[in-house]
Amino acid sequence: MATEVEVQDDFKGTDERRQILREGKYFHCTCERCEDPTELGSHMSSFICSACASHKQESFIVRNPETKIWKCQKCEHTLRPEQVTRILEKSKEEMFHSQGDCRRLEYLLAKLTTILHKNHYIIVDLKQEIANILRSVIANSHRPNRHLYERKIRLCQDLVLLLQIIQPGITRLKGIALYEMATASVKLQRLKVEEKEIEVAVSHQRLKECAAMYKEAKRLLSHEPEASPEGQLLKTIVMEFNVLHKELENTNTAGEDK
């Protein structure tokens, strides 16, 4: 099983991953992802092409692994290596100074998404930092604002979509992300029903989707050692899934009685 360090390395760009492997494993990685300028379509190192964006076109600047030139996939626009280095260093510095401040992190995220691909590893770091803060805020709030749930769900969705590219198959990170998305979605649906924003029947259908997420999270974490943090989380997932499943069964029964 991969170590936590190795798992986190998957969320870095090609240059960073290769450097870690050179320093720790003493080899230059030539795997499919490292050799692909788009990193299997994840674009975890790509920049938004400002020239194309100015003409309302979407295209990305990637580095050719042979020439080392950063060039747009559609037009002739390029970035010099020193520009790339400066942008990344500045972004990391701003992120460091924004740690723990959700408002500053959200502002930085909005700014950087005009420069970096939405899956760029720095953007992913920002989203994970924001999600961690939201988890703590929600856990410590007597009645969390619904926007907190909605934001957390969107962040989890982004992470799950990315993991489907860079970590296909059975991975614990996807299981954890699905659980986080499911539990926030369940609480959001219950809040909407309580505030009479949606009908119970609509909520019932959405809760069935949440149950499917719980079920998939269970499957992905079912191989984790019982004593590990993921193994302990699995127990929580099973408990919450059973509660939700019972709730859905009761709703079905009530509907049939009518």
Side-chain angles (χ1 to χ4, degrees), residues 146-147 150 188-200 202-203 206:
R146 58 177 294 171
H147 297 298
E150 291 169 343
L188 177 62
Q189 295 311 311
R190 288 171 177 161
L191 184 60
K192 285 184 176 182
V193 170
E194 183 182 334
E195 295 179 350
K196 302 187 185 313
E197 180 181 334
I198 60 174
E199 299 292 331
V200 173
V202 175
S203 174
R206 293 177 181 172

Side-chain angles (χ1 to χ4, degrees), residues 167-180:
Q167 287 190 5
I170 298 177
T171 61
R172 64 177 181 263
L173 279 180
K174 194 189 303 179
I176 294 170
L178 280 170
Y179 164 70
E180 294 276 359

Side-chain angles (χ1 to χ4, degrees), residues 146-169:
R146 58 177 294 171
H147 297 298
L148 295 177
Y149 291 128
E150 291 169 343
R151 182 59 175 142
K152 184 179 177 184
I153 291 167
R154 288 197 299 273
L155 292 169
C156 290
Q157 288 173 333
D158 289 346
L159 182 58
V160 169
L161 289 173
L162 176 59
L163 286 168
Q164 288 175 349
I165 300 174
I166 65 172
Q167 287 190 5

Side-chain angles (χ1 to χ4, degrees), residues 92-141:
K92 292 175 183 177
E93 180 184 355
E94 290 190 60
M95 184 176 175
F96 175 79
H97 290 296
S98 301
Q99 286 182 345
D101 189 329
C102 197
R103 184 171 298 181
R104 286 185 65 179
L105 289 168
E106 289 280 17
Y107 172 80
L108 180 58
L109 178 62
K111 183 174 74 170
L112 291 182
T113 48
T114 65
I115 304 170
L116 307 175
H117 188 279
K118 66 179 181 179
N119 286 340
H120 193 283
Y121 71 91
I122 290 178
I123 296 293
V124 174
D125 280 349
L126 275 169
K127 289 179 178 179
Q128 287 186 294
E129 178 72 16
I130 293 169
N132 289 336
I133 293 175
L134 292 181
R135 183 190 303 112
S136 177
V137 171
I138 290 172
N140 293 303
S141 297

Side-chain angles (χ1 to χ4, degrees), residues 14-37:
T14 296
D15 288 346
E16 289 74 15
R17 291 196 317 278
R18 279 178 160 170
Q19 181 178 349
I20 290 170
L21 290 171
R22 280 196 301 270
E23 293 176 352
K25 305 294 184 180
Y26 308 106
F27 78 97
H28 178 75
C29 186
T30 57
C31 73
E32 185 180 359
R33 179 180 169 188
C34 284
E35 290 292 286
D36 181 358

